[in-house]
């Protein structure tokens, strides 16, 4: 269970990115965090991880989240990573073993096996020795998901995992995430494409610097809530 | 000419010192240079290597080893640059420009005031043929320490260079590794000062690493190749400088630049030739 208790974030002493966030997310679940640009979606994840300074508390099963970071696998937006870095796909996935490694310790054979298994799950075994710069956007996102699998964390925080991703990769990723949920994981996804919300998420947190609505997707993803979050001009078209 | 160089190596102690120092400096510069270019900190390397100059002058004035003074000033410069960058709207290249030019100017004034027999030209452009035994040993020990730190913290340096967001999310002190790298960079700048001088150190840090980057797809391979290129260009540069009686530091830098230029055209990663042929 993740609990946000009166969480607030102010950037540069003037921009209030998040205010007074009170939220409880009970897992296992796939929860989408949605809202317009600049609504604090990514900041919410960063506040939980302690990457940005926040007021209030974020608790993970009763323990302060920044003291339980090994239980969280985090994938930042792809744009924050230098894709020309000299690292192979296999090595990149193996970074997921780092939280459990100490000084002097090397990656064990079992851990390399888990790396290869994760690559097999995301369908990139054949690309394992390629440099990451040779991958498409979708393939690289699958590499980052494989890294999460290796981390074997109970909580997954993913920031815009479907941006710049082809349909094949998106399908593979969502299937893996649904499988992880069935194995008891709690997954938080920052997402901007409203068309996929109902198909992907069990729960939705709708944000615009403060919580507009949170709960089961069917109850939260409604026209009145969307208008409150995105403004009256949002165009909503729904099929039967 | 090669026979003469080899004969010189067998005969002259100063040339032996020069060769060993050049190779060690070439290796350690190549290794640290990999992290510098991958983190986009080439300008920082330039700044720190210039900033060690006042430290050298102060060391002469206080009659202490130049390593101590240079290291203190190098670290001071990196702290000032990082502080300005993180606590103001000023961008890092501006902070670097202000800091390193001020330190360099201060160094030139202090060298003048120190009234030592030290030749400013040798500090600025290196004088590896004048390396003393003590300096050679300090270079070796400092380089070993730098390499040991990199081996011990390789995983952490890899992650904080490649994906700092993930590193932060794991609770790693990303700033600690930044300052650690600055410290290592300062130590390398001080050791390389004898070989190529403060003005040209950045070339030894960046050029072999950039060349290696063109051929490798893993960080480990890049590090080994950069170290090899750093050592090789240092030997060739020393040979050319000694044989033709020209500045060794500059010979090393030009040799490194030529190797980079050739690599730029033939590297499979760069695909320059392939693209040209296709056109």
């Amino acid at each position: 269970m993740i609990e946000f208790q009166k969480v607030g974030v102010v950037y540069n002493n003037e921009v209030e990115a998040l205010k007074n966030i009170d939220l409880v997310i009970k897992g296992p679940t796939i929860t989408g965090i949605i809202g317009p640009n600049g609504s604090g979606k990514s900041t919410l994840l960063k506040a939980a991880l302690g990457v940005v300074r926040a007021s209030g508390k974020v608790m993970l099963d009763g323990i302060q989240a920044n003291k339980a970071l090994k239980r969280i696998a985090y994938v930042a937006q792809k744009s924050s990573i230098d894709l020309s870095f000299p690292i192979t796909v296999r090595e990149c996935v193996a970074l997921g073993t780092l939280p459990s490694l100490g000084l002097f310790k090397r990656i064990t054979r079992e851990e390399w096996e888990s790396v290869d298994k994760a690559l097999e799950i995301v369908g990139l075994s054949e690309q394992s020795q390629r440099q990451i710069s040779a991958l498409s956007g979708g393939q690289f996102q699958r590499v980052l998901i494989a890294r999460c699998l290796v981390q074997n964390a109970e909580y997954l925080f993913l920031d815009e995992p479907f941006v710049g991703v082809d349909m094949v990769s998106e399908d593979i990723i969502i299937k893996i995430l649904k499988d992880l949920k069935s194995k008891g994981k709690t997954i938080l996804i920052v997402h901007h494409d409203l068309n996929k919300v109902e198909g992907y998420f069990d729960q939705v947190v709708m944000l615009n610097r403060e919580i507009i609505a949170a709960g089961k997707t069917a109850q939260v993803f409604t026209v009145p809530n969307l208008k409150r979050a995105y403004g009256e001009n949002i165009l909503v078209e729904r099929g039967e | 000419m090669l026979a003469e160089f080899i004969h010189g190596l067998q005969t002259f102690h100063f040339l032996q010192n020069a060769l060993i120092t050049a190779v060690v400096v070439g290796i350690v510069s190549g290794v640290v240079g990999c992290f510098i270019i991958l983190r986009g900190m080439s300008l920082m390397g330039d700044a720190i290597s210039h900033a060690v100059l006042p430290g050298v002058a102060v060391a002469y004035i206080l009659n202490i080893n130049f390593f101590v003074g240079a290291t203190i000033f190098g670290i001071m410069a990196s702290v000032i640059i990082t502080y300005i960058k993180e606590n103001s709207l000023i961008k890092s290249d501006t902070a670097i420009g202000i800091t390193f030019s001020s330190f360099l100017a201060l160094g030139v004034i202090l060298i003048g005031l120190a009234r030592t027999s030290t030749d400013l030209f040798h500090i600025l452009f290196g004088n590896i043929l004048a390396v003393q035994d003590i300096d050679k040993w300090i270079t070796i020990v400092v380089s070993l320490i730098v390499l040991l730190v990199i081996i011990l913290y390789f995983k952490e340096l890899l992650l904080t260079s490649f994906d700092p967001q993930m590193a932060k999310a794991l609770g790693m002190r990303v700033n600690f590794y930044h300052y650690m790298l600055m410290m290592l960079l300062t130590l390398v700048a001080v050791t390389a000062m004898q070989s190529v001088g403060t003005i040209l150190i950045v070339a030894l840090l960046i050029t072999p690493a950039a060349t290696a980057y063109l051929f490798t797809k893993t960080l480990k391979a890049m590090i080994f190749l950069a170290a090899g290129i750093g050592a090789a260009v240092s030997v060739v540069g020393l040979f050319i400088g000694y044989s033709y009686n020209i500045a060794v530091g500059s010979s090393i830098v030009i040799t490194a630049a030529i190797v980079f230029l050739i690599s730029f055209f033939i590297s499979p990663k760069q695909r320059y030739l392939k693209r040209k042929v296709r056109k």
Side-chain angles (χ1 to χ4, degrees):
Chain A
M1 185 169 72
I2 310 169
E3 269 178 282
F4 292 80
Q5 299 173 359
K6 304 231 170 306
V7 171
V9 174
V10 178
Y11 284 126
N12 299 325
N13 290 325
E14 44 186 58
V15 183
E16 198 169 30
L18 286 177
K19 59 180 174 184
N20 215 18
I21 303 290
D22 273 316
L23 179 68
V24 177
I25 297 167
K26 287 181 183 163
T29 174
I30 302 179
T31 302
I33 302 168
I34 62 170
N37 287 341
S39 59
K41 305 186 292 288
S42 301
T43 304
L44 188 70
L45 295 187
K46 288 178 184 172
L49 294 162
V51 171
V52 294
R53 205 170 286 169
S55 57
K57 274 186 191 168
V58 182
M59 309 296 280
L60 220 64
D61 299 328
I63 305 163
Q64 214 156 318
N66 59 10
K67 292 190 173 112
L69 292 173
K70 285 185 181 174
R71 296 171 64 189
I72 305 169
Y74 171 62
V75 175
Q77 288 180 23
K78 277 203 308 287
S79 56
S80 69
I81 295 175
D82 175 12
L83 291 174
S84 64
F85 197 93
I87 188 167
T88 63
V89 168
R90 194 165 183 253
E91 282 180 325
C92 185
V93 174
L95 289 176
T97 62
L98 271 189
S100 55
L101 285 180
L103 202 65
F104 302 113
K105 282 194 181 162
R106 301 181 64 166
I107 299 173
T108 61
R109 210 173 69 187
E110 288 77 26
E111 282 165 329
W112 278 119
E113 280 168 9
S114 74
V115 168
D116 293 332
K117 196 174 169 209
L119 278 169
E120 203 180 306
I121 292 170
V122 299
L124 290 172
S125 296
E126 284 180 15
Q127 276 81 13
S128 71
Q129 294 306 323
R130 294 178 80 177
Q131 192 176 339
I132 55 164
S133 57
L135 301 181
S136 69
Q139 285 174 323
F140 182 63
Q141 195 64 55
R142 276 146 69 188
V143 169
L144 296 179
I145 297 293
R147 192 173 75 183
C148 281
L149 296 177
V150 170
Q151 257 181 278
N152 198 22
E154 297 147 69
Y155 295 88
L156 270 73
F157 290 2
L158 313 177
D159 197 346
E160 298 278 14
F162 304 117
V163 169
V165 169
D166 55 281
M167 278 311 296
V168 175
S169 292
E170 192 162 331
D171 282 349
I172 292 172
I173 292 169
I174 202 71
K175 268 181 204 147
I176 293 168
L177 295 178
K178 284 182 175 171
D179 184 47
L180 286 172
K181 187 196 92 177
S182 72
K183 287 174 181 161
K185 312 282 185 187
T186 302
I187 303 161
L188 260 66
I189 300 177
V190 169
H191 189 72
H192 77 279
D193 181 0
L194 299 181
N195 294 317
K196 305 283 175 64
V197 170
E198 288 163 312
Y200 286 179
F201 307 124
D202 319 317
Q203 299 188 72
V204 168
V205 175
M206 206 177 281
L207 265 187
N208 197 349
R209 301 192 184 192
E210 54 191 342
I211 292 183
I212 303 292
K216 294 216 179 302
T217 305
Q219 290 157 8
V220 172
F221 198 67
T222 61
V223 175
N225 281 340
L226 284 167
K227 289 195 171 183
R228 280 175 64 206
Y230 290 83
E232 286 294 325
N233 294 331
I234 188 169
L235 184 66
V236 183
E237 284 180 10
R238 281 205 163 137
E240 288 303 307
Chain B
M1 203 172 288
L2 186 62
E4 203 177 301
F5 180 67
I6 292 167
H7 179 254
L9 276 176
Q10 288 165 339
T11 317
F12 304 119
H13 188 59
F14 77 90
L15 197 55
Q16 293 162 7
N17 276 355
L19 181 76
I20 294 168
T21 308
V23 168
V24 172
V25 166
I27 290 172
V28 77
S29 303
V31 173
V32 173
C34 290
F35 291 100
I36 300 301
I37 70 162
L38 290 174
R39 284 171 172 247
M41 284 167 41
S42 301
L43 256 183
M44 191 74 153
D46 200 22
I48 288 179
S49 55
H50 288 60
V52 299
L53 188 65
V56 177
V58 168
Y60 280 120
I61 292 169
L62 300 177
N63 201 22
I64 53 174
N65 192 287
F66 72 93
F67 254 92
V68 180
T71 307
I72 291 170
F73 273 77
I75 291 168
M76 215 191 297
S78 73
V79 170
I80 291 172
I81 291 165
T82 312
Y83 184 82
I84 293 175
K85 196 181 86 178
E86 288 183 358
N87 293 284
S88 75
L89 298 173
I90 302 286
K91 287 185 178 162
S92 75
D93 59 338
T94 312
I96 287 169
I98 295 168
T99 311
F100 97 76
S101 54
S102 311
F103 272 64
L104 189 63
L106 178 67
V108 172
I109 292 170
L110 288 175
I111 292 273
L113 290 177
R115 289 200 188 113
T116 66
S117 54
T118 314
D119 191 338
L120 182 61
F121 186 83
H122 286 161
I123 298 174
L124 293 177
F125 296 102
N127 185 12
I128 201 159
L129 295 174
V131 168
Q132 304 291 310
D133 280 345
I134 179 76
D135 299 331
K136 177 188 73 181
W137 285 113
I138 290 176
T139 300
I140 292 171
V141 171
V142 168
S143 299
L144 285 175
I145 292 170
V146 170
L147 294 176
L148 186 68
V149 170
I150 287 179
I151 292 167
L152 287 180
Y153 290 99
F154 180 79
K155 296 189 300 277
E156 289 78 1
L157 286 170
L158 167 65
L159 185 62
T160 53
S161 303
F162 172 58
D163 190 352
Q165 291 286 337
M166 182 190 175
K168 276 185 195 167
L170 288 173
M172 282 170 74
R173 291 165 298 158
V174 174
N175 263 350
F176 167 79
Y177 293 101
H178 171 78
Y179 280 113
M180 188 173 88
L181 205 60
M182 288 302 98
M183 174 89 179
L184 299 180
L185 176 61
T186 305
L187 292 174
V188 172
V190 180
T191 56
M193 195 170 69
Q194 306 163 87
S195 158
V196 290
T198 54
I199 300 283
L200 298 175
I201 287 168
V202 70
L204 208 48
L205 276 167
I206 295 170
T207 318
T211 310
Y213 177 76
L214 293 175
F215 291 99
T216 49
K217 60 178 185 178
T218 69
L219 180 58
K220 266 185 196 161
M222 181 179 168
I223 286 173
F224 278 108
L225 188 58
I229 294 170
V233 297
S234 295
V235 173
V236 175
L238 176 64
F239 164 68
I240 295 170
Y242 176 79
S243 303
Y244 293 96
N245 198 23
I246 51 177
V248 174
S250 302
S251 303
I252 293 173
V253 173
I254 293 293
T255 309
I258 292 168
V259 173
F260 174 78
L261 202 64
I262 296 167
S263 306
F264 179 82
F265 289 115
I266 64 169
S267 139
K269 235 183 181 183
Q270 190 71 25
R271 293 181 183 170
Y272 183 88
L273 284 182
K274 263 191 190 171
R275 276 186 280 146
K276 281 278 159 197
V277 170
R278 248 182 243 161
K279 274 182 187 172

